Amino acid sequence: MSESGSRELGVSEARANMTEVIAEARLLDVDFVLTRRDKPQAVLISVKRYEQAKRDRELVDYIQTNWPDIYTDMTRNLKDHRA
C-alpha cells in the first residue's frame, strides 16, 4: 500500500473523473481499486509504483529460480502471517 493508502472507486465514477483519478495516483501516490458491483476489477497505480512492482517481481522470480528453498520459506511465512 502506498503512503497515502488506497481507495475503492466504481468503474463508472473513475471513468467520469479520470483526469482527477490519474492526478491523485500520480501526484499523491494513491492506489485505486476499481470496482463493479462492489467487486474489484482492476487497480490503477502510479508509474512509480508500477516500476517498483516490476522490479520486485523480477527479484522474486530470481529468488524462486536460484534459491527455491528460500522462496518456499518466504511464501510459507507470508501465508502464516496473513492467517
Side-chain angles (χ1 to χ4, degrees):
M1 185 186 309
S2 67
E3 285 181 353
S4 296
S6 64
R7 287 182 40 201
E8 284 194 11
L9 191 63
V11 171
S12 297
E13 186 179 350
R15 184 182 308 118
N17 299 293
M18 189 56 69
T19 301
E20 292 84 6
V21 170
I22 291 171
E24 274 191 65
R26 185 173 62 86
L27 299 172
L28 302 177
D29 210 28
V30 173
D31 302 340
F32 288 91
V33 178
L34 305 180
T35 62
R36 179 167 285 137
R37 294 185 180 92
D38 296 323
K39 293 182 182 171
Q41 302 295 311
V43 177
L44 187 131
I45 60 174
S46 68
V47 172
K48 178 179 91 174
R49 301 243 322 135
Y50 173 72
E51 294 296 333
Q52 182 63 53
K54 285 189 346 183
R55 288 190 300 271
D56 293 349
R57 181 74 248 172
E58 289 172 5
L59 179 59
V60 169
D61 289 344
Y62 182 85
I63 292 169
Q64 184 177 19
T65 300
N66 293 288
W67 299 302
D69 293 341
I70 292 173
Y71 176 81
T72 301
D73 289 344
M74 286 172 39
T75 55
R76 184 179 306 120
N77 289 336
L78 281 175
K79 288 177 188 172
D80 293 344
H81 179 70
R82 290 181 185 157

Coordinates of all heavy atoms in Angstrom, one line a residue:
M1 N 0.8 -1.2 0.0 CA 0.0 0.0 0.0 C 0.9 1.2 0.0 O 1.9 1.3 0.6 CB -0.9 0.0 1.2 CG -1.9 1.1 1.2 SD -2.9 1.3 2.7 CE -3.6 -0.3 2.9
S2 N 0.4 2.3 -0.7 CA 1.2 3.5 -0.7 C 1.1 4.3 0.6 O 0.2 4.0 1.5 CB 0.7 4.4 -1.9 OG -0.6 4.8 -1.6
E3 N 1.9 5.3 0.8 CA 1.9 6.1 2.0 C 0.5 6.7 2.2 O 0.0 6.8 3.3 CB 2.9 7.2 1.9 CG 4.3 6.7 2.2 CD 5.3 7.9 2.1 OE1 4.9 9.0 1.8 OE2 6.5 7.6 2.4
S4 N -0.1 7.1 1.1 CA -1.4 7.8 1.1 C -2.5 6.8 1.2 O -3.7 7.2 1.3 CB -1.6 8.7 -0.1 OG -0.6 9.8 0.0
G5 N -2.3 5.5 1.0 CA -3.3 4.5 1.0 C -3.9 4.1 -0.3 O -3.4 4.4 -1.3
S6 N -5.0 3.5 -0.2 CA -5.7 3.1 -1.4 C -7.2 3.5 -1.2 O -7.7 3.6 -0.1 CB -5.6 1.6 -1.7 OG -6.2 0.9 -0.6
R7 N -7.9 3.6 -2.3 CA -9.3 3.9 -2.3 C -10.0 3.0 -3.3 O -9.5 2.7 -4.3 CB -9.5 5.4 -2.8 CG -9.1 6.4 -1.8 CD -9.4 7.8 -2.3 NE -10.6 8.0 -3.0 CZ -10.9 9.0 -3.8 NH1 -10.0 9.9 -4.1 NH2 -12.0 9.1 -4.4
E8 N -11.2 2.6 -2.9 CA -12.1 1.9 -3.8 C -12.9 2.9 -4.6 O -13.4 3.9 -4.0 CB -13.0 0.9 -3.1 CG -12.3 -0.3 -2.6 CD -13.3 -1.4 -2.2 OE1 -14.5 -1.3 -2.4 OE2 -12.8 -2.4 -1.6
L9 N -13.1 2.6 -5.8 CA -13.8 3.6 -6.7 C -14.5 2.8 -7.8 O -13.9 1.9 -8.4 CB -12.8 4.6 -7.3 CG -13.4 5.8 -8.0 CD1 -14.1 6.7 -7.1 CD2 -12.2 6.6 -8.7
G10 N -15.8 3.1 -8.0 CA -16.6 2.4 -9.0 C -16.0 2.7 -10.4 O -15.5 3.9 -10.6
V11 N -16.0 1.8 -11.3 CA -15.5 2.0 -12.7 C -16.2 3.2 -13.3 O -15.5 4.0 -13.9 CB -15.7 0.7 -13.5 CG1 -15.3 1.0 -15.0 CG2 -14.8 -0.4 -12.9
S12 N -17.5 3.3 -13.2 CA -18.2 4.4 -13.8 C -17.7 5.8 -13.2 O -17.5 6.7 -13.9 CB -19.7 4.3 -13.6 OG -20.2 3.1 -14.2
E13 N -17.6 5.8 -11.9 CA -17.1 7.1 -11.3 C -15.7 7.4 -11.7 O -15.3 8.5 -11.9 CB -17.2 6.9 -9.7 CG -16.8 8.2 -9.0 CD -16.9 8.1 -7.5 OE1 -17.4 7.1 -7.0 OE2 -16.5 9.1 -6.8
A14 N -14.8 6.4 -11.8 CA -13.5 6.6 -12.2 C -13.4 7.1 -13.7 O -12.7 8.1 -14.0 CB -12.7 5.3 -12.2
R15 N -14.3 6.5 -14.5 CA -14.3 7.0 -15.9 C -14.8 8.4 -16.0 O -14.2 9.2 -16.7 CB -15.3 6.1 -16.7 CG -15.4 6.4 -18.2 CD -16.4 5.6 -18.9 NE -16.2 4.2 -18.7 CZ -17.1 3.4 -18.1 NH1 -18.3 3.8 -17.7 NH2 -16.9 2.1 -18.0
A16 N -15.8 8.8 -15.2 CA -16.3 10.2 -15.2 C -15.3 11.2 -14.6 O -15.3 12.4 -15.0 CB -17.6 10.2 -14.4
N17 N -14.3 10.7 -13.8 CA -13.4 11.6 -13.2 C -11.9 11.2 -13.4 O -11.1 11.4 -12.6 CB -13.6 11.6 -11.6 CG -15.0 12.1 -11.3 OD1 -15.3 13.3 -11.5 ND2 -15.8 11.2 -10.8
M18 N -11.7 10.7 -14.6 CA -10.4 10.1 -14.9 C -9.2 11.1 -14.8 O -8.2 10.7 -14.2 CB -10.4 9.5 -16.3 CG -9.2 8.7 -16.6 SD -8.8 7.3 -15.4 CE -10.1 6.2 -15.8
T19 N -9.4 12.3 -15.2 CA -8.3 13.3 -15.0 C -7.9 13.4 -13.6 O -6.7 13.4 -13.2 CB -8.7 14.6 -15.6 OG1 -9.0 14.4 -17.0 CG2 -7.6 15.6 -15.5
E20 N -8.9 13.5 -12.7 CA -8.6 13.7 -11.3 C -8.0 12.4 -10.7 O -7.1 12.5 -9.8 CB -9.9 14.1 -10.5 CG -10.4 15.5 -10.8 CD -11.2 15.6 -12.1 OE1 -11.6 14.5 -12.7 OE2 -11.6 16.7 -12.5
V21 N -8.6 11.3 -11.1 CA -8.1 10.0 -10.5 C -6.6 9.8 -10.9 O -5.8 9.4 -10.1 CB -8.9 8.8 -11.1 CG1 -8.3 7.5 -10.8 CG2 -10.4 8.9 -10.5
I22 N -6.3 10.1 -12.2 CA -4.9 9.9 -12.6 C -4.0 10.9 -11.9 O -2.9 10.5 -11.4 CB -4.8 10.1 -14.1 CG1 -5.4 9.0 -14.9 CG2 -3.3 10.3 -14.6 CD1 -5.5 9.1 -16.4
A23 N -4.4 12.1 -11.6 CA -3.6 13.1 -10.9 C -3.4 12.6 -9.5 O -2.3 12.8 -9.0 CB -4.3 14.5 -10.9
E24 N -4.4 12.1 -8.8 CA -4.2 11.6 -7.4 C -3.2 10.4 -7.4 O -2.4 10.3 -6.5 CB -5.5 11.2 -6.8 CG -6.3 12.3 -6.2 CD -7.5 11.8 -5.4 OE1 -7.2 11.1 -4.4 OE2 -8.6 12.1 -5.7
A25 N -3.4 9.5 -8.4 CA -2.5 8.4 -8.4 C -1.0 8.9 -8.6 O -0.1 8.4 -8.0 CB -2.9 7.4 -9.5
R26 N -0.9 9.8 -9.6 CA 0.5 10.2 -9.9 C 1.1 11.1 -8.9 O 2.3 10.9 -8.5 CB 0.4 11.0 -11.3 CG 1.7 11.4 -11.8 CD 1.6 12.0 -13.2 NE 0.8 13.2 -13.3 CZ 1.2 14.4 -13.1 NH1 2.5 14.6 -12.8 NH2 0.4 15.4 -13.2
L27 N 0.3 12.1 -8.4 CA 0.9 13.1 -7.5 C 0.9 12.8 -6.1 O 1.8 13.1 -5.3 CB 0.2 14.5 -7.8 CG 0.3 15.0 -9.2 CD1 -0.6 16.2 -9.3 CD2 1.7 15.4 -9.5
L28 N -0.2 12.1 -5.6 CA -0.4 11.7 -4.2 C -0.1 10.3 -3.9 O -0.2 9.9 -2.8 CB -1.8 12.1 -3.8 CG -2.2 13.6 -4.0 CD1 -3.7 13.8 -3.6 CD2 -1.3 14.5 -3.2
D29 N 0.3 9.5 -5.0 CA 0.6 8.1 -4.8 C -0.5 7.3 -4.2 O -0.3 6.4 -3.4 CB 1.9 7.9 -4.0 CG 2.7 6.7 -4.4 OD1 2.6 6.3 -5.5 OD2 3.3 6.2 -3.5
V30 N -1.8 7.6 -4.6 CA -2.9 6.9 -4.1 C -3.2 5.7 -5.1 O -3.1 5.9 -6.3 CB -4.2 7.8 -4.1 CG1 -5.4 7.0 -3.8 CG2 -4.0 8.9 -3.1
D31 N -3.4 4.6 -4.6 CA -3.8 3.4 -5.4 C -5.3 3.3 -5.4 O -6.0 3.5 -4.4 CB -3.3 2.1 -4.7 CG -1.8 2.1 -4.5 OD1 -1.1 2.9 -5.2 OD2 -1.3 1.3 -3.7
F32 N -5.9 3.1 -6.6 CA -7.3 3.0 -6.8 C -7.7 1.6 -7.1 O -7.2 1.0 -8.1 CB -7.8 3.9 -7.9 CG -7.8 5.4 -7.5 CD1 -6.6 6.1 -7.7 CD2 -8.8 6.0 -6.8 CE1 -6.6 7.5 -7.3 CE2 -8.8 7.3 -6.5 CZ -7.7 8.0 -6.7
V33 N -8.5 1.0 -6.3 CA -9.1 -0.3 -6.6 C -10.4 0.0 -7.3 O -11.4 0.5 -6.7 CB -9.3 -1.2 -5.4 CG1 -10.0 -2.5 -5.7 CG2 -8.0 -1.4 -4.6
L34 N -10.5 -0.3 -8.6 CA -11.7 -0.1 -9.4 C -12.7 -1.2 -9.3 O -12.3 -2.4 -9.5 CB -11.3 0.2 -10.9 CG -10.3 1.3 -11.1 CD1 -10.0 1.4 -12.6 CD2 -10.7 2.6 -10.5
T35 N -13.9 -0.9 -8.9 CA -14.9 -1.9 -8.7 C -16.1 -1.8 -9.6 O -16.4 -0.8 -10.1 CB -15.4 -1.9 -7.2 OG1 -16.0 -0.6 -7.0 CG2 -14.3 -2.0 -6.2
R36 N -16.8 -3.0 -9.7 CA -18.1 -3.0 -10.4 C -18.9 -3.9 -9.6 O -18.5 -5.0 -9.2 CB -17.9 -3.6 -11.8 CG -19.2 -3.7 -12.5 CD -19.1 -3.9 -14.0 NE -18.7 -2.7 -14.7 CZ -17.8 -2.6 -15.6 NH1 -17.1 -3.7 -16.0 NH2 -17.5 -1.4 -16.1
R37 N -20.1 -3.4 -9.1 CA -21.0 -4.1 -8.2 C -20.2 -4.6 -7.0 O -20.4 -5.7 -6.5 CB -21.6 -5.3 -8.9 CG -22.6 -4.9 -10.1 CD -23.3 -6.1 -10.7 NE -24.2 -5.7 -11.7 CZ -23.8 -5.6 -13.0 NH1 -22.6 -6.0 -13.4 NH2 -24.7 -5.2 -13.9
D38 N -19.4 -3.7 -6.5 CA -18.6 -3.9 -5.2 C -17.6 -5.0 -5.3 O -17.1 -5.5 -4.3 CB -19.5 -4.2 -4.0 CG -20.4 -2.9 -3.7 OD1 -19.9 -1.8 -3.8 OD2 -21.6 -3.1 -3.3
K39 N -17.3 -5.5 -6.5 CA -16.2 -6.5 -6.7 C -15.0 -5.9 -7.4 O -15.2 -5.2 -8.4 CB -16.8 -7.6 -7.6 CG -17.9 -8.4 -6.9 CD -18.3 -9.6 -7.7 CE -19.5 -10.3 -7.0 NZ -20.1 -11.3 -7.8
P40 N -13.8 -6.1 -6.9 CA -12.6 -5.5 -7.5 C -12.5 -6.0 -9.0 O -12.7 -7.2 -9.3 CB -11.5 -6.0 -6.6 CG -12.1 -6.4 -5.4 CD -13.5 -6.8 -5.7
Q41 N -12.2 -5.0 -9.8 CA -12.0 -5.3 -11.3 C -10.5 -5.1 -11.7 O -10.0 -5.8 -12.6 CB -13.0 -4.5 -12.1 CG -14.4 -4.7 -11.8 CD -14.9 -6.1 -12.0 OE1 -14.7 -6.6 -13.1 NE2 -15.5 -6.7 -11.1
A42 N -9.9 -4.0 -11.2 CA -8.6 -3.6 -11.7 C -8.0 -2.6 -10.6 O -8.8 -2.2 -9.8 CB -8.7 -2.9 -13.0
V43 N -6.8 -2.4 -10.7 CA -6.1 -1.4 -9.9 C -5.4 -0.4 -10.7 O -4.7 -0.7 -11.7 CB -5.1 -2.1 -8.9 CG1 -4.4 -1.1 -8.0 CG2 -5.8 -3.2 -8.1
L44 N -5.5 0.9 -10.4 CA -4.8 2.0 -11.0 C -3.8 2.5 -10.0 O -4.2 2.9 -8.9 CB -5.8 3.1 -11.4 CG -5.2 4.2 -12.3 CD1 -6.0 4.4 -13.5 CD2 -4.9 5.4 -11.5
I45 N -2.5 2.5 -10.4 CA -1.4 2.9 -9.6 C -0.5 3.8 -10.4 O -0.6 3.9 -11.6 CB -0.6 1.7 -9.0 CG1 0.0 0.9 -10.2 CG2 -1.4 0.9 -8.1 CD1 1.0 -0.2 -9.7
S46 N 0.3 4.6 -9.7 CA 1.3 5.5 -10.4 C 2.3 4.7 -11.1 O 2.6 3.5 -10.8 CB 1.9 6.4 -9.3 OG 2.8 5.6 -8.5
V47 N 2.9 5.3 -12.1 CA 4.0 4.7 -12.8 C 5.2 4.3 -11.9 O 5.8 3.3 -12.0 CB 4.5 5.6 -14.0 CG1 5.8 5.1 -14.6 CG2 3.4 5.8 -15.0
K48 N 5.4 5.2 -10.9 CA 6.5 4.9 -9.9 C 6.2 3.6 -9.2 O 7.1 2.7 -9.1 CB 6.5 6.0 -8.9 CG 7.6 5.8 -7.8 CD 7.6 7.1 -6.9 CE 6.6 6.8 -5.7 NZ 6.7 7.8 -4.7
R49 N 4.9 3.4 -8.8 CA 4.6 2.1 -8.1 C 4.6 0.9 -9.0 O 5.0 -0.2 -8.6 CB 3.2 2.3 -7.4 CG 3.1 3.4 -6.4 CD 2.9 3.1 -5.0 NE 1.9 2.0 -4.8 CZ 2.2 1.0 -3.9 NH1 3.3 1.0 -3.2 NH2 1.3 0.1 -3.7
Y50 N 4.2 1.1 -10.3 CA 4.3 0.1 -11.2 C 5.7 -0.4 -11.5 O 6.0 -1.6 -11.5 CB 3.6 0.5 -12.5 CG 3.7 -0.4 -13.7 CD1 3.0 -1.6 -13.7 CD2 4.6 -0.2 -14.7 CE1 3.2 -2.5 -14.7 CE2 4.7 -1.1 -15.8 CZ 4.0 -2.3 -15.8 OH 4.1 -3.1 -16.8
E51 N 6.6 0.6 -11.7 CA 8.0 0.2 -11.9 C 8.6 -0.5 -10.7 O 9.4 -1.5 -10.9 CB 8.8 1.5 -12.3 CG 8.4 2.2 -13.6 CD 8.7 1.3 -14.8 OE1 9.6 0.4 -14.7 OE2 8.0 1.5 -15.8
Q52 N 8.3 -0.1 -9.5 CA 8.7 -0.8 -8.3 C 8.2 -2.2 -8.3 O 8.9 -3.2 -8.0 CB 8.4 0.0 -7.1 CG 8.9 -0.7 -5.8 CD 10.4 -0.7 -5.7 OE1 11.0 0.3 -5.9 NE2 11.0 -1.9 -5.5
A53 N 6.9 -2.4 -8.6 CA 6.3 -3.7 -8.6 C 7.0 -4.6 -9.7 O 7.2 -5.8 -9.4 CB 4.8 -3.6 -8.9
K54 N 7.4 -4.1 -10.8 CA 8.1 -4.9 -11.8 C 9.5 -5.3 -11.3 O 9.9 -6.5 -11.4 CB 8.3 -4.1 -13.1 CG 7.0 -4.0 -13.9 CD 7.1 -3.4 -15.3 CE 8.4 -2.7 -15.7 NZ 8.4 -2.1 -17.0
R55 N 10.2 -4.4 -10.6 CA 11.5 -4.7 -10.0 C 11.3 -5.8 -8.9 O 12.1 -6.8 -8.9 CB 12.2 -3.5 -9.5 CG 12.7 -2.6 -10.6 CD 13.6 -1.5 -10.0 NE 12.9 -0.6 -9.0 CZ 12.2 0.5 -9.3 NH1 12.1 0.9 -10.6 NH2 11.6 1.2 -8.4
D56 N 10.3 -5.6 -8.1 CA 10.0 -6.6 -7.1 C 9.7 -8.0 -7.6 O 10.2 -9.0 -7.1 CB 8.9 -6.2 -6.2 CG 9.2 -4.9 -5.3 OD1 10.4 -4.5 -5.3 OD2 8.2 -4.3 -4.8
R57 N 8.9 -8.0 -8.7 CA 8.6 -9.3 -9.4 C 9.9 -10.0 -9.9 O 10.0 -11.2 -9.8 CB 7.6 -9.1 -10.5 CG 7.1 -10.3 -11.2 CD 6.2 -11.1 -10.3 NE 6.9 -12.3 -10.0 CZ 6.4 -13.2 -9.1 NH1 5.3 -13.0 -8.5 NH2 7.1 -14.3 -8.8
E58 N 10.7 -9.2 -10.5 CA 12.0 -9.8 -11.1 C 12.8 -10.4 -9.9 O 13.4 -11.4 -10.1 CB 12.8 -8.7 -11.8 CG 12.2 -8.3 -13.1 CD 12.9 -7.1 -13.7 OE1 13.9 -6.6 -13.2 OE2 12.4 -6.6 -14.8
L59 N 12.9 -9.7 -8.8 CA 13.6 -10.2 -7.7 C 13.0 -11.5 -7.1 O 13.7 -12.5 -6.9 CB 13.7 -9.1 -6.5 CG 14.4 -9.5 -5.3 CD1 15.9 -9.9 -5.6 CD2 14.3 -8.4 -4.3
V60 N 11.7 -11.5 -7.0 CA 11.0 -12.7 -6.5 C 11.3 -13.9 -7.5 O 11.6 -15.0 -7.1 CB 9.5 -12.5 -6.3 CG1 8.8 -13.8 -6.1 CG2 9.3 -11.5 -5.2
D61 N 11.2 -13.6 -8.8 CA 11.5 -14.7 -9.8 C 12.9 -15.2 -9.7 O 13.1 -16.4 -9.8 CB 11.2 -14.1 -11.2 CG 9.7 -13.9 -11.5 OD1 8.9 -14.4 -10.7 OD2 9.4 -13.2 -12.5
Y62 N 13.8 -14.3 -9.5 CA 15.2 -14.6 -9.3 C 15.4 -15.5 -8.1 O 16.1 -16.6 -8.2 CB 16.1 -13.4 -9.2 CG 17.6 -13.7 -9.1 CD1 18.3 -13.9 -10.3 CD2 18.2 -13.8 -7.9 CE1 19.7 -14.2 -10.2 CE2 19.5 -14.1 -7.8 CZ 20.3 -14.3 -8.9 OH 21.6 -14.6 -8.8
I63 N 14.8 -15.1 -7.0 CA 14.9 -15.9 -5.8 C 14.3 -17.3 -6.0 O 14.9 -18.3 -5.6 CB 14.3 -15.2 -4.6 CG1 15.1 -14.0 -4.2 CG2 14.1 -16.1 -3.4 CD1 14.4 -13.0 -3.2
Q64 N 13.1 -17.3 -6.6 CA 12.4 -18.6 -6.8 C 13.3 -19.6 -7.7 O 13.3 -20.8 -7.5 CB 11.1 -18.4 -7.5 CG 10.3 -19.6 -7.7 CD 8.9 -19.3 -8.3 OE1 8.7 -18.3 -8.9 NE2 8.0 -20.3 -8.1
T65 N 14.0 -19.0 -8.7 CA 14.8 -19.8 -9.6 C 16.1 -20.3 -9.0 O 16.5 -21.4 -9.1 CB 15.1 -19.0 -10.9 OG1 13.9 -18.7 -11.5 CG2 16.0 -19.8 -11.8
N66 N 16.7 -19.3 -8.3 CA 18.1 -19.6 -7.8 C 18.1 -20.2 -6.4 O 19.1 -20.8 -6.0 CB 19.0 -18.4 -7.9 CG 19.2 -18.0 -9.4 OD1 19.9 -18.7 -10.1 ND2 18.5 -17.0 -9.8
W67 N 17.1 -19.9 -5.6 CA 17.1 -20.3 -4.2 C 15.7 -20.8 -3.9 O 15.0 -20.2 -3.1 CB 17.5 -19.2 -3.2 CG 18.9 -18.7 -3.4 CD1 20.0 -19.4 -3.4 CD2 19.3 -17.4 -3.8 NE1 21.1 -18.6 -3.6 CE2 20.7 -17.3 -3.9 CE3 18.6 -16.2 -3.9 CZ2 21.4 -16.2 -4.2 CZ3 19.3 -15.0 -4.2 CH2 20.7 -15.0 -4.3
P68 N 15.3 -21.9 -4.4 CA 13.9 -22.4 -4.2 C 13.5 -22.6 -2.8 O 12.4 -22.4 -2.4 CB 13.8 -23.6 -5.1 CG 15.2 -24.0 -5.4 CD 16.0 -22.8 -5.3
D69 N 14.5 -23.1 -2.0 CA 14.2 -23.3 -0.6 C 13.9 -22.0 0.2 O 12.9 -22.0 1.0 CB 15.4 -24.0 0.1 CG 15.6 -25.4 -0.4 OD1 14.7 -26.0 -1.0 OD2 16.7 -25.9 -0.2
I70 N 14.6 -21.0 -0.1 CA 14.3 -19.7 0.5 C 13.0 -19.1 0.0 O 12.2 -18.6 0.8 CB 15.5 -18.7 0.1 CG1 16.8 -19.1 0.8 CG2 15.1 -17.2 0.5 CD1 18.0 -18.3 0.5
Y71 N 12.7 -19.3 -1.3 CA 11.4 -18.9 -1.8 C 10.3 -19.6 -1.1 O 9.3 -19.0 -0.7 CB 11.3 -19.1 -3.3 CG 10.0 -18.8 -3.9 CD1 9.7 -17.5 -4.2 CD2 9.0 -19.8 -4.1 CE1 8.4 -17.1 -4.7 CE2 7.8 -19.5 -4.6 CZ 7.5 -18.1 -4.9 OH 6.3 -17.8 -5.5
T72 N 10.4 -20.9 -0.9 CA 9.4 -21.7 -0.2 C 9.2 -21.2 1.2 O 8.0 -21.0 1.7 CB 9.7 -23.2 -0.2 OG1 9.8 -23.6 -1.6 CG2 8.7 -24.0 0.5
D73 N 10.3 -21.0 1.9 CA 10.2 -20.4 3.3 C 9.5 -19.1 3.3 O 8.7 -18.8 4.2 CB 11.6 -20.3 3.9 CG 12.2 -21.7 4.2 OD1 11.4 -22.7 4.3 OD2 13.4 -21.7 4.5
M74 N 9.9 -18.2 2.3 CA 9.3 -16.9 2.3 C 7.8 -16.9 2.1 O 7.0 -16.3 2.8 CB 9.9 -16.0 1.2 CG 11.3 -15.6 1.5 SD 12.1 -14.8 0.0 CE 10.9 -13.9 -0.7
T75 N 7.4 -17.7 1.1 CA 5.9 -17.8 0.8 C 5.2 -18.5 1.9 O 4.0 -18.1 2.2 CB 5.7 -18.5 -0.5 OG1 6.3 -19.8 -0.5 CG2 6.2 -17.7 -1.7
R76 N 5.8 -19.4 2.6 CA 5.1 -20.1 3.7 C 4.9 -19.1 4.9 O 3.9 -19.0 5.5 CB 5.9 -21.3 4.2 CG 5.2 -22.0 5.4 CD 6.0 -23.2 5.8 NE 6.4 -24.2 4.8 CZ 7.6 -24.5 4.5 NH1 8.7 -23.9 5.1 NH2 7.9 -25.3 3.5
N77 N 6.0 -18.3 5.1 CA 5.9 -17.3 6.2 C 4.9 -16.2 5.9 O 4.2 -15.7 6.8 CB 7.3 -16.6 6.4 CG 8.2 -17.6 7.1 OD1 7.9 -18.5 7.8 ND2 9.5 -17.3 6.9
L78 N 4.7 -15.8 4.6 CA 3.7 -14.9 4.2 C 2.3 -15.4 4.5 O 1.4 -14.7 5.0 CB 3.8 -14.5 2.8 CG 4.9 -13.5 2.4 CD1 5.0 -13.3 0.9 CD2 4.6 -12.1 3.1
K79 N 2.1 -16.7 4.1 CA 0.8 -17.3 4.3 C 0.5 -17.4 5.8 O -0.6 -17.1 6.2 CB 0.8 -18.7 3.7 CG 0.7 -18.7 2.2 CD 0.8 -20.1 1.7 CE 0.9 -20.1 0.2 NZ 1.2 -21.5 -0.4
D80 N 1.5 -17.7 6.6 CA 1.3 -17.8 8.1 C 1.0 -16.4 8.7 O 0.1 -16.2 9.5 CB 2.5 -18.4 8.8 CG 2.8 -19.8 8.5 OD1 1.8 -20.5 7.9 OD2 3.9 -20.3 8.7
H81 N 1.7 -15.4 8.1 CA 1.5 -14.0 8.6 C 0.1 -13.5 8.3 O -0.5 -12.8 9.1 CB 2.5 -13.1 8.0 CG 2.4 -11.7 8.4 ND1 2.7 -11.3 9.7 CD2 2.1 -10.6 7.7 CE1 2.5 -10.0 9.7 NE2 2.1 -9.5 8.5
R82 N -0.4 -13.9 7.1 CA -1.8 -13.4 6.7 C -2.9 -14.1 7.4 O -4.0 -13.5 7.5 CB -1.9 -13.6 5.2 CG -1.1 -12.7 4.4 CD -1.3 -12.9 2.9 NE -0.4 -12.1 2.1 CZ 0.0 -12.4 0.9 NH1 -0.5 -13.5 0.3 NH2 0.8 -11.7 0.3
A83 N -2.7 -15.3 7.9 CA -3.7 -16.1 8.6 C -4.1 -15.5 9.9 O -3.6 -14.6 10.5 CB -3.3 -17.5 8.8

